Amino acid sequence: MGKLGRYVPIGRRGDRVPPKAGPAKAGPKAHRRSTGRRAWSRLTPRSVAGQVFLLQLVVVLLLIATAVVALVIQDRNRAIQEAGDRSLAVAETFANAPGTAEAMQSKNPTAALQPHAEVVRKKTGVDYVVALSPYGFRWTHPDPDQIGKHVSTSYGAALGGEPHQTTFDSSLGKAVDSTVAVFDEKGDAVGLVTVGVTVDKVTSAVQHQLPVIFAAGGVALVLAAGGAALVSGRLRRQTGGLGPVEMTRMYEHHDAVLHAVREGVLILDGDGRLLLVNDEARRLLALPPEAEGRPVTGLGLSPDLAGLLGSGREATDQVFLAGDVLLAVNVRPVGAKGGSVATLRDTTELRALAGRADVAGGRLRLLYEASTRIGTTLDVKRTAEELTEVAVPRFADFATVELVEPVLRGGEPRGESMEMHRTAVEGIRDDAPLRSVGTRMHYVPENPVTLGMTTGRPVLVAELATADGWRTQDPERAREVVEYGIHSMISVPLRARGQLLGVVEFWRSEQPPFELDDLSPAEELAARAAVCIDNARRYTREHITAVTLQRSLLPGVLPELSALEVGHRYLPAQAGVGGDWYDVIPLPGARVALVVGDVVGHGLHAAATMGRLRTAVHNFAALDLPPDEILGHLDDLIARIDEDAAAEAVTGATCLYAVYDPVSGRCVLARAGHPGPALVSPDGSVTFPDIPVSPPLGVGGGLPVETAELVLAADSRLVLYTDGLVEARGRDIDAGLDMLKEALAHTDGAAPDETCRAVLDAMLRTRSSDDVALLVARTRLLDPDQVAEWEVPDDPAAVSGIRAEATRRLEAWGLGEAAFTMELILSELVTNAIRYGGSPIGLRLLRDRDSLFCEVADGTSTSPHLRRAAITDEGGRGLFLVAQMSRRWGTRYTDRGKIIWAEQALDAGAAGDLSGLLLADLDLDLDMDMDL
């Protein structure tokens, strides 16, 4: 029974059954031993790798502890030695220093040595430097209270010339004291120097070496852990960490997976023998049941496939035909004995799907490219060319586009017209027998193209050689096309907004014939192109309308003038018409107004605004207003246009207005936000006069406009332009002005029209992105003999004398027939100036081509008004007679008053008309007298 009590009965696996009676020696002490063993068992590693790692850990820790203890002891001894060396070196240096012996022999050694001793103590880092007399009394000490006291330490050996060192325990720790004697020139000891330093002040090497030791220990532990991990991994690889049951179950799972996958697997040895084959590989290769163990070359496979599998070389997705199956084979070498693993994948259906996917992807890429390449410009012809360029050669070998005639001109297509104009042709070769660009096409009803245009659907002609309707159009050319090799065609109508714009044909010669699947991409291409062509057509229509409006608003033929010879150019912008404009306006007294302006923007709105500004300038010029007042009125006009604008306001407008007087050569200029003019002198020099600039029109805010006055010699050329001439993308205005100056410098003596041509050729080598208006005016001066001036006294009696002198001058000019009319005009104007005006009064007659001007100036600004006098009025008919006898008349204000002028035509019949007018007025006066 005693022996049975030592065993523990077992129930189920893992269930420990407690004994009914414990062993004889059971007790508290035995229970403590059992608990300790269980705790130690838990702490002790069970694996070999863990036990090895624990042993290495103990060894590394012992080595680290031993190294630390040895280093501490060694460092302590080294520190004591270094402290003694330092104290001795300081003592000997201080004792042998020049002047030490003399200081000790002086009357007051303390005063001479104490400062030096403290300096040495602080610089060397020792605890004290004490100078002693040969009898042991202190001359120096860090504590001044200790100076003069006796030192009882033995220093006899030091006085004998032998340095004395002592190691002792001080209050600051272990310290070393060194004492040396100081000798005079005779060799007698005159004093002692003792230096002490604590060991702790010496730098400890342990602080630098301990991290190295700990780092080395850490590396050793890491290496030990790595070694243990390698051992554990190797053991785990050898056994898999599994028992027999788990290993069996794992191999069963692997075998099930191997035979269940839809990919063939072959495992071969280095000699090309088949070691393992799964069910999918047997099916794909039609292998016999006993295929394992046989060479792969003896399994009835194709020579190429058998050669690849037997060679064991690496292969990736190589395609082989095994019966009716297309296999993708991958081979990878494995093992050190030259074995390999091959996988087989059935790609028959995948290849077919991939082919269809490639076709669909190609069509998508074609349509994407069409969306980016078709419609890059707003030109109808270029858009049609882009359609053919996209289609060839990716979709067709040749492509042709025909458009109806109105579309090419920007008009609306009228009905389902079969009359087409070939606009674009593109092909892989240039010798195809297709009709060239520019050919007029009329399709017969039997032609498939006609069917497509009528139904609005694409039409496929898979075999042109057998298509009778297509051959009916032109049998001879159809034969040439077929003989050339073009075998199929797709025709797609180009429709937009329900209207037929044209038709596109796709032709193939080297590619496979068109199929029904090709109709969809062809229709998509045509639909995208039709929208772009329609946009370009509408833009062309608007552009033509805007250009027509722009041209109609600009002056057609400029008047011939005595004062100026004018040349002009206008170039619309590449993006469309804009608001640049110019004008030449004749003014009274042979004067001329030159105007150049620019409305910011392009299109109909800019052109219409330009027309309104030009009309306003003509109206203001008819009032003979000075340039600054005209620009002020234009500024108000632009502001009102902006206020009244319902949709689009004027974003900016500039203007330069100049008035040239050929009598004096004076030219008055004003500008609002516009570039200043260029002036070419008769000698060919080019300058840019400084003209005060005001804000652009519409943003002036009521600010005054300043003017500048130039005196121009005859044959000077005044060049007015808009900013499109001198400004360009990538070129600032300063560079443009330099180019303009250089271009004008090379036009010495050129006529204004030639100057315009030369400037544009030099400045605009490509089409400008902005409008360009250019006006070149060559100045002339009137012959002084064509002008007569008189000062008129403020006396009505002087009128007859002035009239007589004017008559003599007209006769001298050969204008005797106009003298009678001019006398009446002159008399009326001078009389009114004397009666209603103020001094000074002047008269000027000016002869210019077919006109004779009479100008009367006075010193008041009172404006005369034309009215129709009643029958009972005795006066009030003077200005009425002047208006009837002259071609034009008006008032011009000056700084000193005003000028009333009248222009008389010098053509025949003017005198007869005047006589009838005077007789009618005389009869009216006689009737009034008789009634009275």
Side-chain angles (χ1 to χ4, degrees), residues 376-504:
T376 59
T377 66
L378 290 174
D379 182 81
V380 174
K381 186 176 184 300
R382 179 57 192 155
T383 304
E385 293 173 350
E386 290 171 346
L387 170 59
T388 59
E389 292 170 359
V390 169
V392 177
R394 298 182 60 177
F395 182 70
D397 297 321
F398 300 92
T400 57
V401 175
E402 294 85 45
L403 299 176
V404 296
E405 289 288 344
V407 172
L408 295 173
R409 300 190 299 269
E412 293 282 347
R414 302 181 184 90
E416 302 294 334
S417 175
M418 299 297 108
E419 295 289 342
M420 297 285 177
H421 185 90
R422 178 149 290 180
T423 309
V425 176
E426 184 72 20
I428 57 176
R429 293 190 300 272
D430 297 332
D431 57 346
L434 300 173
R435 295 189 182 275
S436 59
V437 174
T439 304
R440 292 182 178 274
M441 309 289 292
H442 178 77
Y443 292 103
V444 298
E446 296 81 5
N447 197 315
V449 177
T450 305
L451 177 61
M453 291 188 294
T454 303
T455 61
R457 305 294 300 170
V459 176
L460 168 65
V461 182
E463 295 183 10
L464 293 175
T466 59
D468 296 334
W470 175 76
R471 299 171 64 90
T472 305
Q473 177 74 33
D474 189 345
E476 181 60 27
R477 186 169 296 274
R479 182 185 59 80
E480 295 176 0
V481 169
V482 173
E483 292 178 353
Y484 183 80
I486 298 177
H487 48 71
S488 62
M489 179 265 287
I490 291 179
S491 173
V492 187
L494 297 172
R495 304 182 68 88
R497 298 183 298 113
Q499 295 180 327
L500 179 65
L501 307 179
V503 64
V504 56

Side-chain angles (χ1 to χ4, degrees), residues 594-669:
L594 302 175
V595 194
V596 173
D598 183 6
V599 176
V600 176
H602 299 90
L604 291 176
H605 181 71
T609 304
M610 178 272 292
R612 298 175 69 175
L613 284 179
R614 181 167 176 258
T615 302
V617 168
H618 270 270
N619 293 334
F620 295 141
L623 299 177
D624 212 352
L625 298 177
D628 53 344
E629 292 187 21
I630 288 182
L631 292 184
H633 288 304
L634 292 179
D635 183 68
D636 295 338
L637 175 63
I638 292 295
R640 288 195 300 271
I641 291 176
D642 286 342
E643 293 176 358
D644 298 339
E648 185 175 2
V650 180
T651 57
T654 64
C655 184
L656 187 149
Y657 191 92
V659 176
Y660 173 68
D661 187 355
V663 177
S664 61
R666 294 171 60 250
C667 183
V668 181
L669 304 96

Side-chain angles (χ1 to χ4, degrees), residues 284 317-320 324-330 344-354:
L284 295 175
D317 286 340
Q318 290 194 13
V319 180
F320 296 92
D324 298 333
V325 180
L326 201 61
L327 299 178
V329 180
N330 293 273
L344 311 174
R345 187 172 66 254
D346 187 358
T347 62
T348 306
E349 296 181 359
L350 182 62
R351 284 300 177 110
L353 293 176

Side-chain angles (χ1 to χ4, degrees), residues 725-736:
L725 181 68
V726 293
E727 290 184 355
R729 185 175 301 172
R731 181 183 72 194
D732 58 16
I733 189 170
D734 293 333

Side-chain angles (χ1 to χ4, degrees), residues 817 820-821 907-919:
E817 69 278 2
F820 180 70
T821 304
D907 53 348
D913 296 340
L914 175 62
S915 300
L917 177 64
L918 291 179
L919 290 175

